[in-house]
Amino acid sequence: MPQMPDKPLGVALIGTGFMGKCHAMAWRNVATVFGGAHPRLELLCDAPGERAQAFAAQFGFARAEAGWQAAVADPAVDVVSITTPNGLHRPMAEAALRAGKHVWLEKPMALTLADAKAMADLAADHPGQVTLLGYNYLRSPAFQAARNMISEGVIGRPLAFRGVYDEDYSADPNLPWSWRMTHEAGGLGALGDLGCHLVSQMLELMGPVSEVTAMTQIAVPQRPSPEGPRAVENEDSALALIRFASGAQGSFATSRVARGRKCRLQWEVHGSEGSMVFDQENMNELWLHRAGEQGFTRHLTGPEQPGFADFCPAPGHNFGFNEQKVIEARDFLRAISGGPAAGPNFAQGLIIERIIHAMAASNGRPVRIEETAHETA
C-alpha cells in the first residue's frame, strides 16, 4: 500500500462554507486515521477578513487572509483546497497550478465546458502537480465494495443502470433567488450541483458513455429578491437516457425540487447474473441479488469494505459523510507522494463535464459524447 507523506505538506483553504468546513475536518483528521505526517494548516482565505480570522481560529489554520491570491503566492503552501462558488473555480485553480501548487477542487469543475477543457489542458501542462475533484461519494466503503464486486463479475455482465439524485433544497417557490440560479455564476443547475455526482458513480460502475438523450426543466421560473422577481436561468431537474460504450443502457434523473428528498443518490445495476442497489440516504447498506435467489441480501458496511476499518474495527457501526472526505484526502496525499493517481483528476473531470453539458444541450435529441469533445477542441 502506498505510504502517506512522511513530511508535512502546507495547506491553504479557500472558502469556509459547507464544503470548506468538510475539507478542514479532512485535513485535520487524515493523518490521525491513516498515519503519516500531519499536514500544516498554513492559511485560510475568505472575505471579509474578520470572517477569515474567525474561521482560521475555529478550523485550526495558522493564518488568515481576505484575498484568495495569498493562498497561491505563499511559498509555505504546497496544496490549495478550493471550496468557493462555481464561478471562481477556474481562475483559482489555474492560478494555483501556475504557482506550482497541488489542487483539490470541489465539483462542479467549471461553469462551462470550454472552461473545463482549458483547466484540463493546463493541468496536463503541469504534470508535477496533482489535481483532484471533490467527488466524495466515490469514497464510500459501500460504493467501493459495489464497484469491486461488479468489476469482479459478481452480478455478471452489466446490462443496465438506473440512477437518481434528488434533493429538495430548492423546492419551496418562495426560496430567494441566488447566484446558483444563473449561468454566469452558477453554471448548470441540478446537473452541476447533483447530477455530476451521479455521473461520476455511473462511470465507475458502467464504463464510458457514448450517447445521451435528455430533457431539462425549470420548475420555478422566477424567484423573489430584494429587487423584485428574478429569472431562474438553469435547470431545476433533468432526465436522460444513456447508451454506454459497452452496449449497456441506462436511465438518469436529477432534481433540486423533489419534495421530501434530502440526499437520494440512488442507483441500481442490473447484470446478467444478478443486481445491486445502493442509496446514499442509507449509505451503510448495499443490497445484492444473485441469480437463483428470491430477493435481495442486505450487506452492512464493515471492516471488510475498503476504508472502513481505518475508522472503526466493528461492523455495522455506521460510516458518515465527512469520513468520505477523509478518504479522499488520503487518496490525494498518496498521489502526491507518488502513489496511484487519485481520481477524478481534471482530465477525468472533463469527461464528467462533457456528459452533463451534453444532457443540458440535448433538448430531446441524441447527443454523442464525441460531439461535445469536438466542440471544445
Side-chain angles (χ1 to χ4, degrees):
M1 179 65 66
Q3 296 298 310
M4 296 290 287
D6 56 6
K7 294 181 180 179
L9 295 175
V11 174
L13 171 63
I14 308 175
T16 57
F18 174 20
M19 295 313 298
K21 187 173 185 178
C22 193
H23 274 237
M25 287 190 286
W27 284 123
R28 290 184 63 84
N29 290 319
V30 63
T32 300
V33 177
F34 295 107
H38 285 267
R40 291 180 286 104
L41 305 186
E42 290 285 347
L43 182 62
L44 184 143
C45 298
D46 204 350
E50 295 80 7
R51 176 184 176 90
Q53 291 285 352
F55 277 103
Q58 178 181 338
F59 292 174
F61 282 78
R63 292 170 288 120
E65 294 283 352
W68 65 264
Q69 292 85 354
V72 173
D74 195 325
V77 170
D78 304 297
V79 178
V80 179
S81 276
I82 301 171
T83 68
T84 57
N86 306 344
L88 296 171
H89 286 187
R90 180 180 176 182
M92 290 179 175
E94 289 187 341
L97 285 170
R98 291 192 175 103
K101 315 298 186 185
H102 307 287
V103 179
W104 189 9
L105 173 66
E106 274 307 304
K107 45 58 63 187
M109 186 173 172
L111 292 177
T112 68
L113 195 50
D115 284 346
K117 175 68 162 54
M119 293 162 69
D121 287 346
L122 183 63
D125 291 338
H126 291 76
Q129 280 106 263
V130 175
T131 60
L132 181 65
L133 292 163
Y135 284 96
N136 47 282
Y137 297 120
L138 295 173
R139 268 68 190 188
S140 160
F143 177 79
Q144 290 288 318
R147 185 190 64 178
N148 292 344
M149 283 191 283
I150 289 173
S151 66
E152 292 164 2
V154 170
I155 62 170
R157 179 169 59 91
L159 302 174
F161 174 90
R162 294 181 183 174
V164 176
Y165 192 177
D166 290 339
E167 294 196 16
D168 67 355
Y169 59 83
S170 294
D172 183 354
N174 297 311
L175 181 78
W177 178 93
S178 79
W179 61 266
R180 289 186 179 276
M181 299 164 184
T182 69
H183 292 305
E184 182 179 6
L188 296 179
L191 284 166
D193 252 3
L194 305 175
C196 60
H197 275 299
L198 182 57
V199 170
S200 74
Q201 295 204 338
M202 182 175 74
L203 290 172
E204 290 278 320
L205 298 172
M206 302 294 294
V209 170
S210 61
E211 184 180 276
V212 302
T213 304
M215 297 185 298
T216 62
Q217 179 189 54
I218 299 176
V220 184
Q222 291 186 323
R223 297 278 183 177
S225 78
E227 296 79 30
R230 296 192 64 171
V232 174
E233 298 174 359
N234 52 26
E235 75 286 346
D236 288 318
S237 63
L239 300 171
L241 298 177
I242 312 290
R243 189 182 305 279
F244 296 95
S246 66
Q249 62 184 9
S251 64
F252 169 104
T254 188
S255 174
R256 62 187 182 189
V257 293
R259 294 265 187 192
R261 297 299 186 183
K262 304 305 176 184
C263 188
R264 189 197 180 197
L265 175 55
Q266 182 185 63
W267 51 259
E268 52 186 81
V269 176
H270 302 162
S272 57
E273 301 295 331
S275 296
M276 194 171 292
V277 178
F278 174 78
D279 187 339
Q280 180 67 25
E281 286 187 349
N282 297 289
M283 66 176 291
N284 287 280
E285 299 179 357
L286 184 64
W287 293 84
L288 175 65
H289 168 80
R290 303 187 195 199
E293 299 174 347
Q294 295 303 307
F296 284 81
T297 301
R298 175 175 177 248
H299 294 259
L300 287 176
T301 51
E304 75 282 358
Q305 294 179 337
F308 187 98
D310 296 285
F311 293 89
C312 179
H317 289 57
N318 289 353
F319 202 80
F321 176 88
N322 289 299
E323 282 83 354
Q324 296 174 130
K325 214 66 179 177
V326 179
I327 294 178
E328 194 170 83
R330 176 204 67 184
D331 293 348
F332 188 35
L333 289 173
R334 285 179 175 173
I336 292 171
S337 298
N345 59 22
F346 280 11
Q348 294 161 326
L350 177 58
I351 296 171
I352 297 172
E353 294 291 326
R354 283 177 173 151
I355 293 169
I356 60 174
H357 281 274
M359 291 178 182
S362 167
N363 195 27
R365 72 175 180 90
V367 178
R368 300 285 298 177
I369 300 306
E370 290 83 353
E371 292 178 31
T372 62
H374 177 73
E375 289 168 4
T376 58

